[in-house]
Amino acid sequence: MMSPIKHLFPAIALVLITVFSAHALEPAATIDEVRFALSYQVGEERLKLRGVASLRYLKFIKAYAGGLYMPENVRSDDVLSDVPKRLVLEYFQTIEAEDFADATRKMVEKNTDTETLSRIAPALDRLCLAYKTVVPKDRYALTYVPEKGLDLSLNGALLGTFEGADFARAMFSIWIGPNPIDKRFRNRLLGPQ
């Protein structure tokens, strides 16, 4: 007589094949073996994947891969305007929360005038306190919706919402602004226009 557990093996195998097949067929863009869905729903608007890129330090140490989502009709020149957008970053290295906070402050200061920096300082402080340490395969996401604010999430869990178009602009400027963390990374995220 066959054990009851052996009867489960075919059913389990069928479920796994179905799940993996569905995942494999889901449309996505891939860079450095990191997959990004081709679109993302924000409220009533569907954002399209604009571009993907991989950031490296010292030309050979992979830091993270990123995908930028925008409304299809927004030109690259208007990417920092008050429109919905989403940036997803998947990490290849462990990075401490304090390092995120330090780098964020430096890059926001580099991309923001003194008056705006003074106005957004409380939100910046709150966001920096919300950071968590990441390990490889963790994903941070910044999602901005006008009138609602900027959401910071880690692996799908919301860490905080921060109001203000100026604050969202300052945060996205780190990667896609005039003085980004890496111009090649920015240009690839923005894609051809």
Side-chain angles (χ1 to χ4, degrees):
M1 178 175 225
M2 223 170 167
S3 90
I5 293 176
K6 287 187 180 177
H7 287 290
L8 293 177
F9 285 131
I12 292 170
L14 181 59
V15 168
L16 289 175
I17 288 168
T18 303
V19 168
F20 287 123
S21 296
H23 183 68
L25 296 175
E26 182 181 307
T30 304
I31 185 166
D32 285 336
E33 299 180 17
V34 176
R35 292 172 49 91
F36 293 95
L38 297 182
S39 64
Y40 183 81
Q41 191 73 31
V42 173
E44 294 183 16
E45 183 150 18
R46 180 155 295 277
L47 304 181
K48 300 290 184 180
L49 183 64
R50 177 67 58 95
V52 295
S54 187
L55 184 75
R56 296 171 188 266
Y57 289 112
L58 306 173
K59 295 188 181 182
F60 63 91
I61 300 171
K62 290 192 294 187
Y64 51 78
L68 177 66
Y69 296 84
M70 297 286 300
E72 220 168 0
N73 61 344
V74 175
R75 298 174 329 143
S76 291
D77 293 347
D78 298 327
V79 74
L80 292 175
S81 63
D82 194 22
V83 296
K85 52 190 143 276
R86 177 174 168 88
L87 176 66
V88 179
L89 302 172
E90 182 171 313
Y91 294 85
F92 297 112
Q93 310 290 328
T94 297
I95 303 175
E96 299 295 325
E98 298 80 21
D99 294 332
F100 280 117
D102 291 344
T104 297
R105 288 181 198 286
K106 286 176 189 165
M107 290 304 298
V108 166
E109 287 173 12
K110 184 177 177 181
N111 282 282
T112 309
D113 63 75
T114 307
E115 182 184 324
T116 304
L117 187 59
S118 176
R119 193 170 53 250
I120 67 171
L124 182 59
D125 291 341
R126 280 188 29 237
L127 183 134
C128 287
L129 288 172
Y131 278 129
K132 307 285 184 208
T133 297
V134 299
V135 296
K137 297 202 180 287
D138 277 350
R139 281 189 175 207
Y140 263 123
L142 288 173
T143 306
Y144 176 68
V145 177
E147 310 286 322
K148 178 184 179 280
L150 177 74
D151 287 345
L152 172 68
S153 61
L154 177 61
N155 299 326
L158 182 65
L159 300 179
T161 300
F162 309 88
E163 294 179 4
D166 284 351
F167 182 66
R169 179 184 177 88
M171 288 301 299
F172 279 97
S173 289
I174 294 171
W175 296 277
I176 57 176
N179 301 301
I181 197 161
D182 184 274
K183 287 184 178 176
R184 192 170 147 199
F185 185 77
R186 175 195 63 194
N187 295 343
R188 289 186 174 180
L189 285 179
L190 293 177
Q193 282 292 318

